[in-house]
Amino acid sequence: GVAVGERRVELQDGQGLFDVTHNRLRPFRVQAGGVVVTAVGTRFDVQKIDNVAVVTVVDALHGDRQLDE
């Protein structure tokens, strides 16, 4: 489920570039198939084609990120 204050996007197919403002109290999560990317302040790209998800961190200087498989 979605936690209180959580920001969540489900990427069913295609590609998305996300520029996330730092906020540990409101994590930003992108679900792409069986992969969930959690960012609390970074810029990253998620591409999902069929059952494959590719995550590229564009700018890691803004904060932390976590990949849950």
Side-chain angles (χ1 to χ4, degrees):
V2 177
V4 174
E6 178 181 273
R7 300 169 288 173
R8 180 180 284 265
V9 172
E10 182 179 351
L11 185 63
Q12 294 181 355
D13 197 34
Q15 186 170 4
L17 177 64
F18 304 94
D19 194 351
V20 181
T21 301
H22 179 77
N23 187 340
R24 286 197 181 279
L25 299 176
R26 297 190 63 223
F28 182 85
R29 292 188 169 90
V30 177
Q31 180 171 351
V35 174
V36 176
V37 179
T38 302
V40 293
T42 191
R43 175 183 250 187
F44 63 98
D45 180 80
V46 179
Q47 184 174 17
K48 181 171 182 291
I49 301 172
D50 298 324
N51 291 325
V52 176
V54 177
V55 179
T56 305
V57 176
V58 178
D59 183 358
L61 298 177
H62 285 93
D64 302 324
R65 65 250 155 246
Q66 175 180 330
L67 179 63
D68 301 319
E69 296 186 72

